[in-house]
């Protein structure tokens, strides 16, 4: 009788701790750590009380396989030249062992409890989107100067959590979710639309790209499985449209960017209306909205006219710390104005305020909901990087430079990698070897999980980690669990643009839900 009571108490503890953990994921690193640890303690404690610890630890090889990824970091530590940094990496990856072991050893959830945890996660993510949206609208009142700072956690893992929440809600139309079935389909559709809206205005390109390709997989699964057999052709058409529309839109934006308004260098006016000479740098092809930045510049008139309009000197710095003259030149170019006294006179008071604030293109002064400025900024960064080779202070350009360095490191340490804790020294040395224009304070490691594994642990370590993931999915045919595959594919795609599994929230999120699906999901989810 006592053993039965302990089992019941263990089930209650499991449900409570799992619930608090999933509610913490969109909000707090500290709570994720604390409750991840408590899940492990609870799992161990009740396994001992119920005399199940031995059978549990020997029951499923996939458990040991999954946590053996941590062992790869341990082996890599044997080759470290920086023990402090190596132990720091090890400490981050410890969450993999903690959460996987805790979820595995915990009492198995019932079908109703499983769907409760997933629904609670969606609820927690949704509440976080509402809070972030309010902080976004009233950013000045909250002292938020960067729209990325409206979230409690980094925008990339948060966007992935939103994407997974959308898939859980969509899945409720095909598989019985005892909680969501009480909500009208129309309400669930509105819920999905809200999350779709927020994932767009969050403007995490990596999250959007991961979501985009995973939705294509979802549409394929819907057409392939017996979810909507009567509407298979319609689903295929929707999949094609979903793929083509964003591609066509991106193509239009790129075309507009490179559609230069005056490409010919002959027959250009040489003097301003005041009779001063214009300067033209025909070798510099930087552009804003189809106009060359370094054409039609009269520095003398520009400086004098600007200093009459603003308290920030032309030769000073804007509020973002960049040379104001450069911001002014780019901004005026974006509006199609010549950089002279007449052009400055055509600037509105709002334009002047934007320039002082460090806004380099008038299209950036748009609604928080607009995604076009974010796409434009990314294209501009790539264009500048291709023209100048300078990646500094540009997120995507720096990531390209990080990847170049990673490939060189892999070339020199192909089979066994550089080891755990050696990445700072290895990347610093590589940037100097490749004569990178990257400033030293911008040095960083690659933002690609697969290149990160390969550079640290070599091809052997990389293949082993891939082997582990494939093996645990093949166990009991978990690869046929569509919801698990949607969760994983989103992460696997995002890992091409970030090291999700080497961040605290990203690793914890992955470890918990993979473990939940492996050892707690109802068998009926396997198609």
């Amino acid at each position: 009788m006592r053993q039965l009571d302990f089992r019941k108490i263990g089930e209650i503890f499991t449900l409570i701790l799992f619930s608090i953990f999933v509610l913490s994921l969109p909000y707090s690193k500290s709570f994720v750590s604390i409750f991840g640890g408590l899940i492990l303690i609870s799992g161990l404690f009740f396994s001992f009380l119920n005399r199940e610890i031995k059978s549990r630890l020997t029951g499923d090889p996939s458990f040991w396989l999954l946590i053996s990824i941590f062992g790869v970091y341990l082996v890599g530590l044997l080759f470290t030249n920086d023990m402090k940094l190596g132990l720091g990496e090890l400490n981050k990856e410890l969450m993999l062992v903690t959460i996987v072991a805790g979820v595995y050893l915990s009492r198995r959830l019932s079908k109703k409890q499983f769907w409760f945890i997933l629904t609670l996660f969606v609820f927690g993510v949704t509440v976080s989107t509402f809070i972030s949206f309010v902080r976004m609208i009233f950013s000045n009142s909250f002292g938020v100067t960067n729209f990325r700072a409206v979230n409690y956690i980094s925008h990339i893992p948060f966007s992935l959590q939103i994407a997974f929440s959308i898939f859980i809600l969509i899945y409720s139309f095909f598989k019985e979710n005892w909680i969501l079935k009480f909500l009208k389909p129309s309400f669930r559709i509105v819920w999905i639309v809200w999350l779709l809206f927020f994932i767009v205005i969050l403007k995490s390109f990596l999250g959007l790209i991961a979501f985009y390709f995973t939705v294509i997989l979802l549409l394929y699964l819907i057409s392939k499985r017996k979810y909507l057999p009567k509407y298979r052709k319609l689903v295929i058409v929707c999949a094609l449209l979903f793929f083509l529309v964003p591609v066509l839109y991106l193509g239009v934006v790129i075309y507009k960017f490179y559609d230069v308004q005056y490409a010919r260098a002959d027959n250009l006016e040489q003097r301003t209306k005041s009779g001063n000479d214009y300067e033209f740098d025909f070798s510099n092809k930087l552009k804003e909205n189809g106009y060359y930045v370094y054409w039609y510049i009269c520095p003398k008139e520009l400086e004098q006219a600007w200093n009459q309009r603003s308290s920030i000197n032309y030769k000073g710095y804007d509020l973002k710390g960049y040379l104001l003259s450069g911001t002014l030149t780019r901004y005026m170019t974006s509006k199609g104005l010549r950089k002279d006294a007449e052009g400055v006179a055509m600037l509105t008071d709002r334009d002047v305020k934007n320039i002082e604030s460090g806004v380099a293109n008038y299209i950036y002064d748009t609604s928080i909901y607009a995604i076009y400025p974010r796409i434009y900024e990314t294209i501009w960064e790539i264009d500048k990087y291709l023209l100048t080779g300078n990646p500094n202070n540009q997120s995507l350009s720096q990531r390209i430079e990080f990847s170049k360095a990673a490939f060189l490191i892999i070339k020199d340490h192909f089979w066994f990698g550089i080891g755990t804790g050696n990445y700072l020294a290895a990347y610093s040395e590589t940037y100097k070897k490749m004569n990178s224009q990257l400033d030293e304070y911008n040095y960083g490691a690659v933002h690609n999980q697969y290149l990160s594994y390969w550079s640290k642990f070599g091809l052997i370590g990389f293949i082993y980690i891939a082997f582990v993931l494939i093996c645990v999915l093949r166990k009991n045919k978990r690869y046929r669990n569509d919801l698990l595959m949607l969760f994983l594919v989103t992460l696997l795609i995002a890992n091409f643009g970030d090291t999700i599994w080497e961040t605290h929230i990203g690793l914890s999120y992955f470890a918990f839900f993979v473990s939940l699906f492996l050892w707690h999901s109802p068998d009926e989810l396997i198609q």
Side-chain angles (χ1 to χ4, degrees):
M1 186 69 180
R2 181 177 295 178
Q3 188 177 18
L4 183 63
D5 290 339
F6 280 136
R7 287 181 177 177
K8 190 64 178 176
I9 294 170
E11 290 175 7
I12 294 171
F13 265 82
T14 296
L15 188 61
I16 292 172
L17 292 175
F18 280 19
S19 298
I20 299 175
F21 183 88
V22 295
L23 286 174
S24 301
L25 280 170
Y27 298 96
S28 171
K29 290 182 182 179
S30 300
F31 269 46
V32 166
S33 297
I34 292 168
F35 286 95
L38 288 176
I39 288 172
L40 175 59
I41 292 170
S42 172
L44 285 169
F45 179 73
F46 287 104
S47 294
F48 273 114
L49 282 181
N50 295 316
R51 300 178 182 178
E52 297 174 340
I53 189 69
K54 184 177 179 181
S55 62
R56 296 304 302 275
L57 292 177
T58 57
D60 191 344
S62 62
F63 161 67
W64 291 105
L65 263 178
L66 198 54
I67 65 173
S68 70
I69 294 175
F70 180 75
V72 177
Y73 283 85
L74 275 175
V75 173
L77 194 65
L78 299 175
F79 305 99
T80 189
N81 295 318
D82 189 334
M83 186 57 70
K84 183 178 179 181
L85 191 58
L87 291 173
E89 277 199 75
L90 216 59
N91 183 56
K92 280 193 297 184
E93 295 301 313
L94 192 59
M95 286 303 292
L96 177 69
V97 178
T98 300
I99 294 173
V100 170
V103 175
Y104 172 70
L105 292 171
S106 296
R107 299 295 304 171
R108 179 171 175 139
L109 299 175
S110 67
K111 176 183 173 181
K112 283 190 173 183
Q113 290 170 340
F114 173 82
W115 286 114
F116 173 77
I117 293 298
L118 288 188
T119 307
L120 196 63
F121 168 73
V122 177
F123 175 78
V125 170
T126 304
V127 171
S128 185
T129 62
F130 282 126
I131 295 172
S132 296
F133 186 66
V134 171
R135 286 164 58 88
M136 192 181 293
I137 294 175
F138 301 103
S139 56
N140 292 333
S141 301
F142 287 99
V144 177
T145 56
N146 186 336
F147 77 94
R148 300 284 193 211
V150 300
N151 313 308
Y152 289 100
I153 60 173
S154 171
H155 63 282
I156 293 176
F158 189 42
S159 65
L160 299 179
Q161 291 180 23
I162 296 171
F164 185 43
S165 297
I166 293 171
F167 295 137
I168 292 171
L169 288 169
I170 293 174
Y171 210 70
S172 70
F173 289 96
F174 308 115
K175 291 289 183 180
E176 183 180 345
N177 181 321
W178 71 277
I179 300 178
L180 292 177
K181 76 175 183 179
F182 292 109
L183 300 176
K184 291 182 178 180
S186 57
F187 183 86
R188 279 180 274 168
I189 290 171
V190 171
W191 196 344
I192 291 168
V193 170
W194 163 256
L195 293 177
L196 284 170
F197 166 74
F198 191 84
I199 200 174
V200 170
I201 67 170
L202 186 59
K203 299 174 188 175
S204 170
F205 269 5
L206 187 57
L208 281 172
I209 290 170
F211 176 71
Y212 170 69
F213 284 104
T214 311
V215 167
I216 294 174
L217 170 65
L218 172 64
L219 291 170
Y220 168 78
L221 292 173
I222 290 174
S223 66
K224 199 75 173 174
R225 308 280 197 239
K226 296 179 180 179
Y227 293 139
L228 295 172
K230 294 181 180 179
Y231 302 99
R232 185 176 179 184
K233 291 183 179 179
L234 178 62
V235 170
I236 292 172
V237 171
C238 289
L240 289 172
L241 288 174
F242 187 82
F243 175 75
L244 290 174
V245 170
V247 171
L248 290 173
Y249 177 72
L250 181 61
V252 170
V253 175
I254 293 172
Y255 174 80
K256 285 176 63 178
F257 183 89
Y258 286 101
D259 183 23
V260 179
Q261 300 300 315
Y262 37 73
R264 292 171 60 87
D266 54 343
N267 298 323
L268 296 174
E269 293 183 42
Q270 299 298 313
R271 290 184 175 83
T272 70
K273 288 191 175 181
S274 299
N276 296 304
D277 290 335
Y278 281 120
E279 292 182 3
F280 297 87
D281 185 352
F282 297 116
S283 64
N284 195 322
K285 300 297 183 181
L286 286 178
K287 44 196 146 319
E288 295 284 352
N289 298 349
Y291 297 96
Y292 287 123
V293 175
Y294 295 99
W295 286 23
Y296 286 112
I297 299 179
C298 181
K300 177 183 175 181
E301 288 189 17
L302 195 58
E303 180 176 3
Q304 185 178 10
W306 173 259
N307 287 339
Q308 291 174 355
R309 294 282 311 265
S310 172
S311 59
I312 300 180
N313 193 278
Y314 174 81
K315 294 181 178 178
Y317 295 88
D318 61 38
L319 297 181
K320 287 185 179 178
Y322 297 108
L323 283 171
L324 188 132
S325 57
T327 306
L328 173 63
T329 302
R330 285 183 58 193
Y331 193 96
M332 292 182 68
T333 303
S334 74
K335 298 197 76 174
L337 300 175
R338 296 183 180 183
K339 280 71 74 175
D340 56 17
E342 186 182 15
V344 173
M346 295 177 70
L347 294 173
T348 66
D349 290 341
R350 186 178 182 88
D351 290 331
V352 172
K353 185 178 179 181
N354 284 339
I355 294 164
E356 292 174 337
S357 299
V359 178
N361 189 310
Y362 81 93
I363 66 170
Y364 299 150
D365 181 31
T366 54
S367 166
I368 58 172
Y369 317 117
I371 196 169
Y372 172 75
R374 184 70 185 92
I375 297 174
Y376 176 90
E377 184 181 19
T378 301
I379 297 171
W380 185 89
E381 286 185 7
I382 295 172
D383 183 67
K384 181 185 176 184
Y385 180 64
L386 293 174
L387 290 172
T388 67
N390 186 348
N392 287 292
N393 305 313
Q394 300 167 58
S395 176
L396 183 58
S397 301
Q398 288 184 176
R399 288 175 184 235
I400 295 172
E401 201 77 354
F402 297 161
S403 296
K404 285 182 178 180
F407 279 115
L408 288 176
I409 291 171
I410 288 169
K411 182 181 177 182
D412 293 336
H413 305 272
F414 188 83
W415 293 106
F416 301 104
I418 57 176
T420 306
N422 291 328
Y423 68 91
L424 280 183
Y427 277 93
S428 180
E429 181 183 334
T430 304
Y431 290 130
K432 292 171 183 174
K433 186 189 299 183
M434 58 193 277
N435 295 318
S436 172
Q437 294 185 43
L438 197 64
D439 293 332
E440 197 164 340
Y441 63 83
N442 283 326
Y443 283 2
V446 66
H447 287 218
N448 179 307
Q449 189 64 70
Y450 312 112
L451 293 181
S452 179
Y453 281 150
W454 197 339
S455 62
K456 288 177 180 176
F457 312 123
L459 182 61
I460 293 174
F462 174 71
I463 289 176
Y464 177 77
I465 293 171
F467 165 78
V468 166
L469 294 175
I470 292 170
C471 281
V472 297
L473 287 177
R474 287 184 62 85
K475 173 70 176 175
N476 298 325
K477 298 183 179 180
R478 293 299 177 189
Y479 62 90
R480 293 186 61 82
N481 184 326
D482 289 346
L483 198 52
L484 169 59
M485 292 310 297
L486 292 169
F487 165 78
L488 272 178
V489 168
T490 309
L491 276 169
L492 291 172
I493 294 172
N495 272 333
F496 280 101
D498 203 2
T499 50
I500 306 291
W501 295 338
E502 293 182 324
T503 64
H504 184 82
I505 290 292
L507 180 64
S508 302
Y509 169 66
F510 162 75
F512 179 83
F513 280 108
V514 162
S515 303
L516 189 75
F517 278 108
L518 287 176
W519 300 301
H520 293 269
S521 65
D523 291 334
E524 67 185 44
L525 289 182
I526 300 174
Q527 300 299 320

